[in-house]
Amino acid sequence: MENNISSPNTARLLISCPDKPGIVATVSRFLYQSGANILDASQHSTDPAEGLFFMRMEVLMPHTPGFEAAFQEQVATPLNMEWKISYADQRKRMAILVSAYDHCLLDLLWRWRSGELGVDIPLVISNHPTLEKDCTSMGIPFYYLPVSGDTKASQEAAIAKLMAEQRIDFIVLARYMQILSPQFVSLFPQRIINIHHSFLPAFAGARPYQHAYNRGVKLIGATAHYVTDELDEGPIIEQDVARVSHKHAINDLVMLGRDIERQVLTRAVKAHIDDRVIVLGNKTIVF
């Protein structure tokens, strides 16, 4: 996992547009004329199949007034480009939603405390009180918001209110065992990251590892993706698998599965923090 330390005037530029000759030259020329120095650049083209071009640049740049407006006028508009830029000195604000399983939450908190995740975590929200002490011991406010079928709408409204008050940029579902409503998801398009085992759709629902054991699976894994209205069908950011055999008991599968979930979720979160993900329909380009 990369852990680049960016200076305060480092910016990350993500672009997508119809492919044509000269895109890299046009962007690079503009950056040069703006006094920027390109530190890293990655690109991908789907031409000729789809004819689309994607690029991520990390640049060292002076704080130039009017840079974004000039880029839009001189580069983005002529190239019919979708783009966004983020700055290293403007840390993203990440909220975590969790239920009772602690493995993904604790891994994120440990990596945040150790400096591996360059974000602020203003709050953790749970529908169970179990993990409050784990959060407050690190100085992170914990909100216990129980939910039932009758209170789901009001609970989501309370969550949305907290998100607005804390100016949350994106949300991580660290094994949050509730289905978010389309209304809530629409508030954070491509900004809610979920993690689940990769048995879907074969072993959906409760006790997936028991079902997998009963079927004698040979691979287990995990998938991290952006949340959409279609349950567990959003654009995939990261995946991983591990081989298992008849020698593995159910507890072994659970242990291996949770370990993979931790790693996959962390890699997906870091990719989002570092602006390495571009969503293309229901799939992603991850630089």
Side-chain angles (χ1 to χ4, degrees):
M1 182 181 298
E2 298 181 15
N3 190 22
N4 297 330
I5 300 176
S6 300
S7 61
N9 55 346
T10 298
R12 294 185 289 262
L13 177 65
L14 284 176
I15 68 172
S16 59
C17 62
D19 198 7
K20 61 183 292 187
I23 297 173
V24 175
T26 301
V27 174
S28 300
R29 187 182 307 113
F30 178 87
L31 293 174
Y32 169 74
Q33 293 171 348
S34 300
N37 181 36
I38 299 173
L39 303 176
D40 182 74
S42 302
Q43 63 192 67
H44 173 68
S45 173
T46 63
D47 192 47
E50 296 172 309
L52 298 174
F53 178 83
F54 306 90
M55 185 162 63
R56 178 189 185 272
M57 282 184 162
E58 191 164 338
V59 300
L60 195 66
M61 57 181 297
H63 294 287
T64 306
F67 172 87
E68 295 182 28
F71 186 88
Q72 177 66 46
E73 179 183 354
Q74 299 176 35
V75 179
T77 298
L79 292 175
N80 192 24
M81 179 183 294
E82 295 183 10
W83 66 284
K84 71 174 185 177
I85 190 168
S86 64
Y87 300 92
D89 60 352
Q90 299 174 3
R91 287 165 64 95
K92 293 180 176 66
R93 295 172 65 81
M94 177 178 83
I96 301 176
L97 271 60
V98 64
S99 291
Y101 293 116
D102 64 357
H103 56 290
C104 288
L105 170 70
L106 295 181
D107 191 72
L108 290 172
L109 295 184
W110 183 86
R111 293 178 187 276
W112 165 78
R113 187 174 64 179
S114 67
E116 292 184 33
L117 300 178
V119 291
D120 295 329
I121 306 178
L123 78 170
V124 171
I125 297 174
S126 180
N127 58 321
H128 294 273
T130 315
L131 302 174
E132 179 174 5
K133 188 173 295 185
D134 294 296
C135 298
T136 56
S137 66
M138 293 190 185
I140 299 175
F142 180 92
Y143 292 86
Y144 169 46
L145 298 178
V147 61
S148 66
D150 296 332
T151 64
K152 185 174 181 62
S154 60
Q155 190 244 23
E156 283 195 349
I159 295 175
K161 184 173 183 291
L162 286 169
M163 299 294 142
E165 290 173 351
Q166 295 296 328
R167 296 175 288 109
I168 296 301
D169 294 306
F170 72 105
I171 300 170
V172 177
L173 307 183
R175 294 306 306 271
Y176 182 62
M177 311 304 288
Q178 295 290 321
I179 299 174
L180 299 175
S181 70
Q183 292 76 18
F184 186 90
V185 172
S186 68
L187 299 175
F188 295 89
Q190 299 171 12
R191 290 186 293 144
I192 305 176
I193 300 173
N194 189 30
I195 182 72
H196 59 70
H197 62 80
S198 286
F199 298 134
L200 295 171
F203 306 123
R207 305 175 70 200
Y209 290 98
Q210 177 68 60
H211 296 317
Y213 176 81
N214 293 341
R215 286 289 303 275
V217 299
K218 299 300 183 279
L219 286 174
I220 62 172
T223 295
H225 63 91
Y226 288 119
V227 175
T228 62
D229 292 347
E230 299 295 325
L231 181 63
D232 294 330
E233 295 288 341
I236 293 170
I237 308 169
E238 182 63 57
Q239 290 181 299
D240 206 350
V241 297
R243 293 199 65 86
V244 295
S245 73
H246 59 277
K247 296 181 180 181
H248 289 88
I250 295 174
N251 289 341
D252 297 325
L253 300 187
V254 172
M255 180 185 68
L256 287 169
R258 290 181 178 178
D259 190 48
I260 297 171
E261 287 174 6
R262 287 194 296 263
Q263 295 180 51
V264 168
L265 181 59
T266 295
R267 292 201 296 265
V269 169
K270 185 154 175 51
H272 183 90
I273 293 170
D274 292 344
D275 299 293
R276 297 185 179 278
V277 186
I278 297 177
V279 177
L280 173 62
N282 202 46
K283 62 182 181 179
T284 59
I285 307 295
V286 183
F287 290 105

